[in-house]
Amino acid sequence: MDELTIAMPKGRIFEEAYELLVGAGYDLPKELDDSRKLIVEAPNEKFRFILAKPMDVPTYVEHGVADIGIAGKDVLLEHDRDVHELLDLGISACYIATAGLPDTEMDEVTPRIATKYPAVASHYYRSKGEQVEIIELNGSIELAPLIGLSDRIVDIVSTGRTLKDNGLVEYEKIADITSRLIANPVSYRLKQQRITELVDKLREQVGR
Ligand code: PRP
C-alpha cells in the first residue's frame, strides 16, 4: 500500500478536518492535535501528515511533496495552483466580503482596499469596472479602515464578530468559502486507488 502524504492546515480548519478524517474511520494519532511537531506519521493508515499554514497547503501539494491536502477555497481562489480539487468538504464555512466603516462612501479618486487576498480583491473590483488601490496586509485587516489606512477591506467573515466588535459593517458579499480536498495531479494518477478510496469515505462522511 502506498504511503499518502497529507498537508493539513494548522489553526481554525484543523479540528474540523481532523474530526472528518476520524469520522470517516481513519485511525489517527492524538499527537496530530496536541504537539508542535510538523510532520506526524499515522502508521496504521500509512499516512504522513504535514502540518502547514493554511495559505501554504496548495504550495506543498502543487510541488508534490504532499499528495493531497485540505485547503480553504479562499486560498485556492487567491493563488491559481496546479492542483485537482477533488471534494468540497463543507467544513469551515465562511465567506469573503467587502466591509468598512458604516455610512461611508469610497474615495472617488482612488479608493484604497486593504486585504490579505489581493488577487481576489483586484478581480472583484475589476469585474465591477472600479479602479482601486490594493493595500496588502497579513492579518488583523479590520484595523485598516479604523485607522484611516483604507476605505474598505476585503476579508473573511465567519461569525461576523470581528466586524461587529470593531464597529464595521459588511457591504458586499464576494464568495462563499468552504474547505476542499485537493490533490497533486501526478499523485492522483500514481496513487489513484488510495486517493479515490479516501475521497469516497470522506464523501460519505460529508454527505455529498
Ligand atoms: C479571520 C478574518 C477575520 C476574522 C473573521 O482572521 O481575517 O479577521 O477571522 O472571523 P469572525 O467573522 O468570526 O470574527 P483570523 O482570525 O484568521 O486572523 P488574522 O486577522 O490574523 O487574519
Side-chain angles (χ1 to χ4, degrees):
M1 188 163 65
D2 292 320
E3 184 176 71
L4 269 191
T5 301
I6 306 176
M8 289 280 275
K10 288 198 290 186
R12 279 173 195 247
I13 311 176
F14 179 86
E15 203 156 315
E16 281 184 272
Y18 179 88
E19 292 302 327
L20 204 56
L21 286 165
V22 170
Y26 291 107
D27 175 16
L28 304 186
K30 258 275 142 255
E31 64 174 314
L32 202 59
D33 206 1
D34 297 344
S35 86
R36 284 185 167 261
K37 280 179 80 169
L38 300 173
I39 300 178
V40 180
E41 304 280 343
N44 295 346
E45 305 292 355
K46 287 199 94 182
F47 285 160
R48 184 164 67 132
F49 289 96
I50 296 177
L51 301 174
K53 284 271 183 198
M55 276 278 188
D56 294 335
V57 166
T59 311
Y60 290 103
V61 174
E62 181 180 45
H63 287 269
V65 291
D67 299 305
I68 59 173
I70 292 177
K73 184 67 182 174
D74 53 329
V75 177
L76 297 170
L77 287 173
E78 179 61 25
H79 303 285
D80 188 19
R81 300 283 181 200
D82 182 16
V83 296
H84 290 334
E85 204 179 299
L86 301 179
L87 183 65
D88 182 349
L89 298 171
I91 55 172
S92 301
C94 57
Y95 54 96
I96 299 179
T98 68
L101 288 166
D103 307 317
T104 50
E105 296 295 328
M106 298 217 291
D107 185 293
E108 275 175 24
V109 188
T110 25
R112 290 160 308 153
I113 314 296
T115 187
K116 60 182 168 196
Y117 299 100
V120 171
S122 303
H123 180 268
Y124 174 70
Y125 285 103
R126 216 177 309 121
S127 73
K128 296 198 350 159
E130 290 177 26
Q131 198 160 355
V132 299
E133 180 191 346
I134 303 289
I135 299 172
E136 190 173 348
L137 296 174
N138 288 308
S140 301
I141 313 298
E142 292 81 359
L143 259 178
L146 296 178
I147 55 160
L149 179 63
S150 76
D151 299 292
R152 295 282 185 269
I153 61 171
V154 167
D155 199 16
I156 291 285
V157 181
S158 178
T159 61
R161 174 123 192 249
T162 311
L163 290 180
K164 188 162 178 275
D165 285 0
N166 290 289
L168 300 174
V169 294
E170 194 183 308
Y171 283 95
E172 301 116 349
K173 184 173 182 175
I174 298 180
D176 282 309
I177 303 297
T178 45
S179 297
R180 312 295 163 104
L181 184 72
I182 58 172
N184 173 273
V186 176
S187 298
Y188 187 63
R189 222 170 339 110
L190 298 180
K191 301 182 180 179
Q192 193 161 19
Q193 201 184 334
R194 280 220 78 188
I195 294 177
T196 306
E197 185 189 290
L198 177 83
V199 171
D200 289 345
K201 284 187 180 178
L202 288 175
R203 183 176 284 125
E204 203 170 304
Q205 183 68 12
V206 301
R208 273 164 212 272

